[in-house]
Amino acid sequence: MTSQEFDAFYAASFPRLTGQLYAITGDWSEAQDVVQEAFIRAWDRRRTLDPDDAPEAWIRTTARRLAHSRWRRLARGLHLAGRHHRQELPTVEPPTEEHLMLVAALRDLPEAQRSALVLHHMCDLSVEQVAAETGAGVSAVKSRLARGRTALAAALADRTPTSEEGKLRV
């Protein structure tokens, strides 16, 4: 991939990938950071990236792995700092109540279900592609999708937006 092709790929893919990682992480700044880091890593291997070989999937997988590594590091740091020193991390509010409700409901799901739902429904990947990207079997992905949809539907049914404050009442 030439520099110009990479620039065009970046411009077209960055907003979409950031939205997808936001749905997985629940934190807009974190999503931007991990997608940017994934693109930096892709830049170093741009000559070997084939536009016909799903480079966006490579970026998304790399960004997901970076986010998971950061979560593990953060959890380890919080554990070492002690429970009484934990502080709530700031989050960026999404532009609409519906978006906030969806992200909140996704946060409550187990990571495997959340990733499967986002990759399948937001990234438009087939079940087989989700399985390949997550390293799970096809039947495991189907199970995660079914359980995730059921849990997400129940969680969204329990949440109603308030009219004044723009916050959720759970």
Side-chain angles (χ1 to χ4, degrees):
M1 188 180 289
T2 67
S3 295
Q4 293 80 13
E5 290 173 328
F6 189 86
D7 290 345
F9 167 62
Y10 175 85
S13 300
F14 185 80
R16 181 174 44 253
L17 288 166
T18 302
Q20 294 165 0
L21 266 293
Y22 174 57
I24 291 173
T25 64
D27 184 323
W28 185 252
S29 295
E30 180 71 8
Q32 289 177 319
D33 287 348
V34 295
V35 171
Q36 187 66 38
E37 178 64 28
F39 270 106
I40 289 169
R41 293 179 182 196
W43 174 259
D44 293 336
R45 55 190 334 249
R46 71 185 176 283
R47 289 184 180 85
T48 60
L49 283 178
D50 182 6
D52 298 327
D53 196 27
E56 192 170 309
W58 187 90
I59 300 283
R60 184 176 38 255
T61 299
T62 302
R64 261 188 333 101
R65 289 178 179 161
L66 287 166
H68 292 148
S69 293
R70 288 180 179 196
W71 287 337
R72 283 192 301 272
R73 248 182 281 134
L74 178 62
R76 178 76 174 137
L78 289 174
H79 176 71
L80 293 175
R83 293 179 189 219
H84 60 283
H85 292 292
R86 289 187 182 180
Q87 296 177 354
E88 191 171 317
L89 298 175
T91 58
V92 178
E93 291 186 35
T96 64
E97 286 186 58
E98 292 81 14
H99 199 115
L100 180 58
M101 287 178 13
L102 177 60
V103 170
L106 284 168
R107 278 185 191 157
D108 292 339
L109 295 179
E111 191 278 329
Q113 291 176 8
R114 181 175 56 243
S115 289
L117 287 170
V118 169
L119 291 172
H120 184 66
H121 293 289
M122 289 186 68
C123 303
D124 258 350
L125 297 182
S126 69
V127 172
E128 292 77 14
Q129 290 170 317
V130 173
E133 197 162 314
T134 60
V138 171
S139 60
V141 170
K142 288 179 180 179
S143 176
R144 291 172 186 171
L145 286 171
R147 290 182 181 145
R149 285 183 200 116
T150 301
L152 190 59
L156 290 174
D158 292 342
R159 298 172 193 259
T160 58
T162 62
S163 59
E164 291 179 18
E165 302 160 1
K167 297 190 178 189
L168 293 178
R169 185 175 15 149
V170 180

